[in-house]
């Protein structure tokens, strides 16, 4: 009796172990439990964990057969031609997962085991386990091991963040490879798509699915349970490559070019286990293998470190890197990253006019990193940029996208832009959090964190700043100066800062804010102030897409001059007032001199029955109506006055509206020969004709100091 009691106790404990492993699965089908069948034809195969999930087949002609004595005398479900089952739609989407199956093939040329509408674990007409996601047959995860018709445990582990899958057969690592993320939640047994073709010929005994990559202990526990249950011998295998990769490019990653129009892409890692004799790196350009580097593995203290420093060129080409490891018995791919490019990097920051969109242009050579104004540290994926939204996601704004398009199409250089613009924000909200500058919980830090994680901190060419509508002039200079100083510290490679003078509209103190923007370059170097004035399709605060396109075209002119050696440099900068003085002793004429020279200034035609002569304002009180006519000639504007004036200050354009209206000012403007509107100016000094340049410069400096 004791022997019998011991035997039943042993069986009970063994079955209990079986029933408890795993305890966090999404789906667990096993042929010795939960099977509903009539005359051995299976209609339902129920999940055994308590979930209400199941596999099922309503058509009697397509039902598989219940086999009571399959592997090691254990039950199995036998599939064959036209025999398959549908299942609850619970396959993890855009997520990690672990899928383990126990099978026995009855055919040396087999097909789908656990499929879906565009995803499958299959044999591809052989007995090599393979995985497809998104119907992408080019980027399959392929096992190098032929399992034949022996009972086998196949495990697939997928890492969504890196898009790398691993295949294990009978507890042994076989291969790993790039495979795009899965977007298909459907599950079918013994078919790919619900049509029921390319069926698995053989027994499926167990299917275990997790919505995560389970840890090594759980994986060992699961596989050991299956080894014991089905009496499958775990083979003696060569030592496995350790997945400790220290440096490897991410898929779609962007690297910055050096002075030789190229960049190094470091690949570094270590191999702890013995048994492999070489590690290699294959480099592909546009799908073609162009180089393969191999290093002999030399172990010291059971560890070997490898380092590759391949170089790629800055061009409209995409590179792929394949890292593998070899022994006499095995050649395994450890890691693959695709769509790597090399080019130039820029930052855009500010408020809504930096990020508003509608631009549906897309190009795989225009990249971004993370999401526009994301506060999450996990939002650090490389992606193709877009400009169709109004913030969030991989959005770089309408004119940011257009600027990228112009550069890469004319100069054949890939572009990366990180855009941190957030609508309706003040300059104070865009300030750096000095206590923790990499904590992405404010606007500046969100950009700074993305730049740090992208690895591009030392390669920022320029920053574009378009903000001011949400501020008054009070404190604006100090806010800009603080931003400027932080940018200089955080982005040491910065060559240029482009500041867009705000348009009329969205700001009741617009003239004063624009004046701070216009003059900030006088005290802070490497700044260029750009004018949006005269750009059409403005709605009073923002632009239609056509307006943002024109804005980008203007910005492109100075960018290609500064960074791409363009020789088209005439009239690409915004005209900026340099000096204003009375030309006569009677003070009945004022001459305005603009820089740069050779602007070819002209006056935009009257708009909405408004004349430009009524938008020059005199004195602190900003009186208007005393200008009889305005004449433009090269770099000079001449104001002929109706009556003599003793005003010492002159302003050009209103704060926001046309005189005596609530209609946003849209011109007429002073423009140059390329149609770029002049920067507006506010309370600019008018001097007598005999004032020397030295005296004038002293006056200007005093005025600047008083306004800060």
């Amino acid at each position: 009796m004791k022997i019998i009691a011991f035997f039943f106790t042993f069986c009970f404990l063994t079955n209990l172990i079986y029933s408890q492993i795993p305890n966090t699965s999404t789906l667990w089908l096993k042929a010795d439990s939960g099977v509903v069948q009539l005359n051995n034809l299976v209609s339902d195969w129920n999940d055994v964990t308590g979930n209400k999930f199941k596999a099922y087949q309503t058509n009697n002609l397509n039902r598989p057969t219940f086999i009571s004595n399959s592997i090691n005398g254990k039950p199995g479900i036998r599939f064959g031609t036209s025999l398959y089952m549908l299942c609850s739609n619970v396959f993890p989407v855009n997520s990690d997962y672990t899928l383990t199956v126990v099978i026995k093939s009855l055919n040396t040329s087999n097909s789908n085991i656990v499929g879906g509408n565009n995803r499958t674990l299959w044999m591809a007409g052989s007995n090599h386990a393979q995985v497809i996601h998104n119907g992408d047959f080019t980027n399959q995860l392929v096992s190098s091991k032929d399992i034949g018709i022996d009972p086998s445990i196949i495990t697939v582990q997928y890492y969504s963040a890196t898009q790398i899958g691993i295949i294990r057969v009978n507890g042994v690592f076989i291969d790993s490879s790039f495979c795009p993320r899965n977007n298909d939640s459907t599950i079918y047994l013994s078919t790919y798509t619900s049509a029921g073709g390319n069926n698995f010929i053989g027994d499926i005994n167990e299917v275990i699915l997790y919505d995560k990559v389970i840890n090594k202990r759980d994986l060992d526990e699961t596989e050991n349970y299956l080894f014991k249950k089905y009496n499958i011998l775990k083979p003696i295998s060569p030592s496995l490559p350790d997945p400790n990769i220290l440096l490897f490019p991410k898929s779609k990653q962007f690297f910055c070019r050096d002075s030789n129009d190229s960049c190094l892409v470091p690949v570094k890692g270590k191999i702890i286990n013995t048994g492999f004799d070489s590690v290699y790196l294959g480099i592909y350009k546009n799908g073609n293998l162009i180089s393969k580097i191999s290093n002999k593995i030399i172990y010291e203290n059971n560890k070997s470190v490898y380092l590759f420093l391949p170089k790629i060129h800055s061009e409209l080409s995409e590179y792929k890197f394949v890292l593998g490891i070899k022994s006499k018995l095995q050649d395994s791919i450890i890691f693959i990253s695709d769509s790597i490019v090399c080019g130039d990097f820029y930052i855009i920051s500010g408020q809504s006019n930096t990020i508003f969109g509608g631009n549906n242009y897309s190009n795989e050579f225009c990249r971004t990193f993370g999401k526009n104004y994301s506060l999450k540290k996990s939002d650090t994926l490389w992606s193709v940029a877009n400009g169709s939204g109004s913030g969030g996601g991989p959005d770089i704004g309408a004119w940011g996208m257009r600027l990228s398009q112009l550069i890469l199409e004319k100069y054949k250089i890939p572009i990366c832009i990180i855009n941190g613009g957030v609508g309706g924000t003040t300059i104070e909200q865009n300030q750096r959090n000095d206590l923790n500058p990499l904590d992405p919980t404010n606007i500046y830090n969100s950009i700074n964190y993305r730049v740090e994680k992208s690895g591009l901190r030392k390669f920022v060419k320029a920053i574009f700043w378009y903000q001011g509508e949400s501020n008054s002039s009070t404190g604006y200079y100090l806010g800009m100066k603080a931003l400027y100083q932080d940018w200089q510290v955080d982005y040491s490679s910065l060559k240029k800062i482009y500041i867009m003078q705000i348009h009329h509209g969205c700001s009741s103190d617009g003239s004063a804010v624009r004046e701070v923007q216009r003059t900030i370059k006088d005290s802070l170097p490497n700044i260029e102030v750009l004018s949006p004035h005269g750009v059409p399709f403005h709605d009073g605060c923002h632009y239609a897409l056509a307006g943002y396109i024109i804005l980008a075209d203007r910005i492109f002119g100075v960018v290609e001059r500064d960074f791409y050696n363009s020789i088209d440099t005439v009239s690409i900068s915004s005209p900026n007032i340099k000096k204003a003085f009375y030309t006569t002793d009677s003070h009945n004429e004022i001459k305005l001199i603009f820089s740069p020279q050779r602007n070819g200034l002209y006056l935009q035609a009257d708009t909405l029955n408004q004349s430009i002569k009524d938008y020059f304002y005199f004195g602190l009180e900003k009186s208007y109506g005393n200008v009889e006519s305005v004449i433009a000639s090269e770099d000079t504007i001449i104001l002929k006055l109706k009556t003599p004036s003793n005003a010492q200050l002159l302003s050009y354009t209103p704060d926001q509206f046309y005189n005596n209206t609530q209609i946003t000012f849209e011109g007429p403007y002073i423009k140059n020969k390329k149609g770029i509107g002049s920067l507006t100016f506010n309370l600019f000094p008018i001097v007598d004709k005999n004032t020397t340049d030295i005296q004038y410069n002293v006056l200007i400096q005093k005025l600047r100091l008083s306004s800060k």
Side-chain angles (χ1 to χ4, degrees):
M1 292 296 293
K2 289 183 180 180
I3 294 175
I4 296 174
F6 174 79
F7 174 76
F8 280 107
T9 301
F10 173 78
C11 291
F12 172 77
L13 290 176
T14 302
N15 189 62
L16 184 64
I17 291 172
Y18 289 167
S19 67
Q20 289 179 342
I21 302 172
N23 58 7
T24 58
S25 60
T26 300
L27 177 71
W28 187 7
L29 305 175
K30 55 178 185 172
D32 57 0
S33 179
V35 176
V36 179
Q37 49 95 8
L38 180 63
N39 297 325
N40 291 336
L41 297 182
V42 179
S43 61
D44 296 277
W45 190 0
N46 294 293
D47 183 291
V48 299
T49 62
N51 295 324
K52 295 181 180 180
F53 305 141
K54 67 177 182 178
Y56 58 93
Q57 178 55 265
T58 58
N59 189 333
N60 201 55
L61 295 177
N62 300 124
R63 286 173 175 167
T65 303
F66 175 78
I67 303 297
S68 60
N69 188 13
S70 179
I71 304 172
N72 191 33
K74 302 294 183 184
I77 310 298
R78 180 159 294 174
F79 293 85
T81 303
S82 300
L83 305 182
Y84 64 97
M85 301 186 79
L86 311 180
C87 194
S88 302
N89 298 333
V90 294
F91 206 96
V93 171
N94 293 321
S95 170
D96 294 352
Y97 68 80
T98 301
L99 172 64
T100 298
V101 297
V102 179
I103 63 167
K104 176 178 173 58
S105 292
L106 299 178
N107 192 319
T108 57
S109 179
N110 232 314
S111 200
N112 296 283
I113 303 169
V114 178
N117 285 326
N118 62 27
R119 182 212 68 255
T120 187
L121 166 61
W122 70 319
M123 295 295 195
S126 66
N127 273 320
H128 295 262
Q130 302 183 42
V131 175
I132 293 174
H133 289 168
N134 302 340
D136 187 347
F137 286 78
T138 302
N139 290 299
Q140 293 190 64
L141 169 61
V142 179
S143 167
S144 59
K145 181 176 178 58
D146 187 339
I147 64 173
I149 59 174
D150 294 328
S152 299
I153 302 166
I154 300 173
T155 295
V156 178
Q157 291 191 298
Y158 183 74
Y159 297 83
S160 181
T162 58
Q163 301 179 72
I164 295 295
I166 294 173
I167 292 181
R168 292 165 60 93
V169 176
N170 293 335
V172 175
F173 170 93
I174 301 299
D175 282 291
S176 64
S177 179
F178 168 81
C179 190
R181 292 186 183 88
N182 170 56
N183 60 13
D184 181 8
S185 64
T186 58
I187 302 177
Y188 309 127
L189 301 182
S190 179
T191 185
Y192 181 65
T193 79
S194 59
N198 298 310
N199 306 108
F200 179 71
I201 311 298
D203 298 348
I204 300 178
N205 300 74
E206 207 134 344
V207 178
I208 308 172
L209 177 66
Y210 292 89
D211 61 358
K212 60 185 177 180
V213 173
I214 60 176
N215 61 40
K216 188 176 185 304
R217 188 185 71 175
D218 289 343
L219 180 60
D220 289 343
E221 195 172 55
T222 299
E223 290 178 335
N224 286 335
Y225 145 68
L226 296 172
F227 282 129
K228 293 176 182 178
K229 180 175 180 178
Y230 294 100
N231 195 27
I232 297 173
L233 296 177
K234 185 173 183 178
I236 299 174
S237 66
S239 300
L240 305 180
D242 188 277
N244 194 345
I245 297 175
L246 305 177
L247 290 173
F248 201 85
K250 305 293 192 303
S251 290
K252 293 187 171 65
Q253 186 165 351
F254 183 97
F255 290 85
C256 285
R257 64 180 179 132
D258 58 21
S259 58
N260 294 316
D261 289 333
S262 60
C263 62
L264 295 176
V265 181
V267 173
K268 183 179 180 180
K270 57 184 178 180
I271 301 166
I272 294 178
N273 299 309
T274 60
F276 289 84
D277 50 41
S278 65
V279 58
Y280 63 86
L281 183 69
I283 302 153
Y284 296 75
K285 184 168 96 171
N286 298 329
N288 299 312
L289 181 65
I290 60 172
S291 178
K292 187 172 183 179
I293 314 166
S294 182
N295 285 347
K296 184 178 180 180
I297 297 176
I298 300 175
Y299 293 99
E300 294 183 6
N301 298 322
N302 202 35
K303 180 179 70 174
S304 178
V305 176
Y306 59 86
L307 173 65
F308 298 104
L309 291 172
K311 182 180 290 188
I312 64 173
H313 191 62
S314 179
E315 59 187 349
L316 299 188
S317 295
E318 292 183 297
Y319 291 82
K320 179 171 74 173
F321 294 86
V322 178
L323 181 67
I325 192 166
K326 292 182 69 174
S327 69
K328 292 180 179 180
L329 300 176
Q330 194 169 348
D331 184 342
S332 294
I333 294 173
I334 299 176
F335 218 90
I336 296 179
S337 282
D338 207 348
S339 305
I340 315 300
V341 297
C342 172
D344 290 340
F345 171 49
Y346 299 94
I347 293 173
I348 295 176
S349 185
Q351 55 187 107
S352 55
N353 274 312
T354 66
I355 196 63
F356 271 29
N359 190 341
N360 291 319
Y361 174 83
S362 181
N363 193 300
E364 67 268 28
F365 296 105
C366 179
R367 302 290 170 86
T368 190
F369 182 76
K371 297 180 180 179
N372 164 255
Y373 190 44
S374 172
L375 305 182
K376 296 181 180 179
K377 289 187 174 182
S378 59
D379 285 337
T380 54
L381 290 179
W382 289 100
S383 58
V384 174
N386 74 58
S388 59
S390 294
D395 201 346
I396 63 170
W399 64 260
M401 179 58 75
R402 171 64 174 175
L403 180 62
S404 298
Q405 176 186 1
L406 292 169
I407 296 171
L408 67 89
E409 289 184 355
K410 183 172 182 179
Y411 294 100
K412 313 303 180 187
I413 295 173
I415 297 298
C416 177
I417 289 179
I418 287 181
N419 187 319
V422 182
T425 56
T426 64
I427 196 168
E428 291 79 13
Q429 289 175 290
N430 282 271
Q431 296 296 319
R432 187 179 193 256
N433 176 3
D434 295 333
L435 295 178
N436 192 354
L438 291 178
D439 179 18
T441 53
N442 75 354
I443 298 171
Y444 185 103
N445 289 19
S446 176
I447 300 171
N448 200 32
Y449 175 79
R450 290 165 69 192
V451 173
E452 174 69 19
K453 291 299 180 180
S454 71
L456 301 181
R457 180 173 299 285
K458 296 180 180 179
F459 303 99
V460 185
K461 282 188 172 294
I463 292 177
F464 301 88
W465 173 255
Y466 195 160
Q467 189 277 339
E469 297 95 334
S470 294
N471 279 88
S472 70
S473 59
T474 303
Y476 196 79
Y477 173 82
L478 294 177
M480 278 302 315
K481 184 177 180 181
L483 265 180
Y484 177 91
Q485 292 171 336
D486 286 338
W487 287 336
Q488 299 300 314
V489 171
D490 286 327
Y491 312 120
S492 59
S493 63
L494 194 60
K495 299 294 190 301
K496 203 79 175 182
I497 295 169
Y498 300 100
I499 295 177
M500 187 67 65
Q501 194 179 49
I502 61 171
H503 198 287
H504 303 85
C506 289
S507 176
S508 60
D509 192 24
S511 293
V513 172
R514 284 190 290 274
E515 183 66 10
V516 174
Q517 294 173 327
R518 185 186 72 83
T519 59
I520 198 164
K521 66 181 180 60
D522 297 337
S523 58
L524 301 175
N526 299 322
I527 289 177
E528 178 152 1
V529 185
L530 306 176
S531 165
H533 309 305
V535 173
F537 310 105
H538 188 255
D539 67 4
C541 190
H542 307 110
Y543 300 86
L545 174 60
Y548 285 121
I549 295 296
I550 294 172
L551 192 67
D553 292 349
R554 291 187 178 185
I555 296 170
F556 177 59
V558 295
V559 170
E560 66 171 341
R561 174 202 65 198
D562 294 339
F563 294 107
Y564 302 101
N565 301 315
S566 171
I567 59 174
D568 182 12
T569 60
V570 177
S571 297
I572 60 171
S573 293
S574 304
N576 186 15
I577 191 166
K578 182 178 179 182
K579 188 175 183 179
F581 60 95
Y582 290 104
T583 63
T584 65
D585 292 335
S586 59
H587 287 194
N588 62 354
E589 183 181 274
I590 301 173
K591 185 175 285 189
L592 311 178
I593 308 298
F594 285 76
S595 65
Q597 294 180 338
R598 297 184 299 151
N599 262 310
L601 298 180
Y602 73 94
L603 305 177
Q604 186 182 1
D606 290 353
T607 303
L608 298 177
N609 296 317
Q610 301 289 332
S611 174
I612 195 169
K613 65 185 177 62
D614 294 322
Y615 291 93
F616 290 94
Y617 302 89
F618 294 85
L620 287 171
E621 67 279 10
K622 292 192 174 181
S623 62
Y624 63 93
N626 193 32
V627 178
E628 178 70 32
S629 63
V630 184
I631 301 170
S633 176
E634 288 301 325
D635 62 353
T636 302
I637 299 291
I638 299 173
L639 307 180
K640 291 188 177 295
L641 307 184
K642 296 177 181 178
T643 61
S645 173
N646 289 317
Q648 295 180 314
L649 298 170
L650 182 68
S651 301
Y652 161 59
T653 74
D655 275 332
Q656 188 169 1
F657 302 126
Y658 286 105
N659 297 332
N660 302 315
T661 74
Q662 293 295 306
I663 301 172
T664 297
F665 184 81
E666 296 284 353
Y669 291 106
I670 301 168
K671 293 187 173 185
N672 68 14
K673 65 178 67 175
K674 287 192 175 176
I676 298 174
S678 165
L679 297 170
T680 69
F681 53 87
N682 187 57
L683 303 179
F684 190 82
I686 315 170
V687 297
D688 289 324
K689 65 177 183 177
N690 296 323
T691 303
T692 66
D693 287 343
I694 293 176
Q695 291 172 323
Y696 190 78
N697 289 333
V698 171
L699 178 63
I700 289 289
Q701 290 302 317
K702 287 182 179 179
L703 189 65
R704 298 291 174 268
L705 292 172
S706 66
S707 65
K708 294 174 184 176

